[in-house]
Amino acid sequence: MNPRRPRPRAMRQAHAWDPHTRAVVQARLAPPSCRFLTPAEQAIAGPLLDLLTGQAHTPGRVPLLALLDRRLAEGPADGWRHADLPEDALAWRLSLGALDAEARLRHRGTGFAGLTTGDRYRLLHVLCTRARSTLPAPPWHGLPLRHVWELWMRHACAAYYSHPLAWDETGFGGPASPRGYVRLGRGTREVWEAPHPAPTTPTESPP
């Protein structure tokens, strides 16, 4: 585990999990180095994932890039895809290239990896607005932008909320296997579950 990352509170209960569950969760704390995405693609995907999940000011807090890369390298796939998109791994490769091309068109040849956080945010805001529009739109660099945006968000959120640090944020105490839940009443919590954290003031998005 990266020493700069805080140790998740949920991991205090790892001793109570079954061996398989413990191994799966612990592997998410220090996923292997990237094997699928090229270094150039990593330089695009890393900032993209951090922006999509609100980690722009804490890049790498949850190792989204490594978690995504492992998913693309090893699978399994979601079991479905939009008919106008290729398999997930190829769709990511093509869409990262499209995002870089879009950045170069809008910023005089500077690719997405070379933009400031603010410029990246503004570019993604434009793409998000276009992706959410209900009006007919031509392909975006040969790809259906609406479905590309959905793919990015689905995989980014899946990676983020699979990590114990995200569990801490939501108040999830971690897996209850094999001990299960006992206190099922409304507003109650198990003795091993941490109290819900106090509300915090949301950080502002990049300008």
Side-chain angles (χ1 to χ4, degrees):
M1 183 175 178
N2 189 323
R4 292 177 295 179
R5 298 190 193 116
R7 181 167 180 79
R9 292 193 307 273
M11 294 306 296
R12 299 173 187 172
Q13 299 299 321
H15 66 278
W17 304 339
D18 64 76
H20 177 74
T21 299
R22 185 164 50 248
V24 168
V25 176
Q26 288 178 336
R28 297 172 185 171
L29 300 180
S33 301
C34 292
R35 292 169 289 162
F36 176 79
L37 296 173
T38 66
E41 291 167 340
Q42 294 171 41
I44 302 167
L48 168 64
L49 293 167
D50 285 335
L51 276 165
L52 292 177
T53 57
Q55 289 198 150
H57 299 297
T58 55
R61 179 173 178 270
V62 173
L64 299 171
L65 177 61
L67 290 171
L68 172 68
D69 186 90
R70 183 172 66 184
R71 175 180 185 150
L72 298 179
E74 300 176 1
D78 291 334
W80 66 275
R81 61 183 173 86
H82 290 287
D84 52 5
L85 276 180
E87 295 292 339
D88 290 350
L90 179 56
W92 267 96
R93 182 150 278 159
L94 294 175
S95 64
L96 291 175
L99 179 58
D100 197 51
E102 185 75 21
R104 294 181 187 280
L105 284 174
R106 293 174 177 269
H107 294 276
R108 299 182 179 180
T110 300
F112 190 77
L115 300 181
T116 65
T117 298
D119 283 339
R120 291 171 182 163
Y121 176 83
R122 284 183 282 273
L123 173 54
L124 291 182
H125 180 73
V126 170
L127 296 181
C128 178
T129 301
R130 289 172 54 187
R132 296 175 64 181
S133 173
T134 58
L135 298 176
W140 176 68
H141 299 277
L143 297 169
L145 180 56
R146 183 179 305 171
H147 292 162
V148 166
W149 188 267
E150 179 186 308
L151 175 74
W152 287 350
M153 290 300 303
R154 187 171 76 248
H155 286 186
C157 290
Y160 188 83
Y161 286 106
S162 74
H163 196 277
L165 281 175
W167 299 350
D168 288 351
E169 293 176 358
T170 62
F172 177 52
S177 177
R179 56 189 165 186
Y181 292 98
V182 176
R183 298 182 177 181
L184 303 181
R186 187 174 183 179
T188 62
R189 61 183 175 86
E190 303 295 331
V191 294
W192 48 268
E193 289 184 297
H196 292 301
T200 57
T201 303
T203 57
E204 294 184 359
S205 300

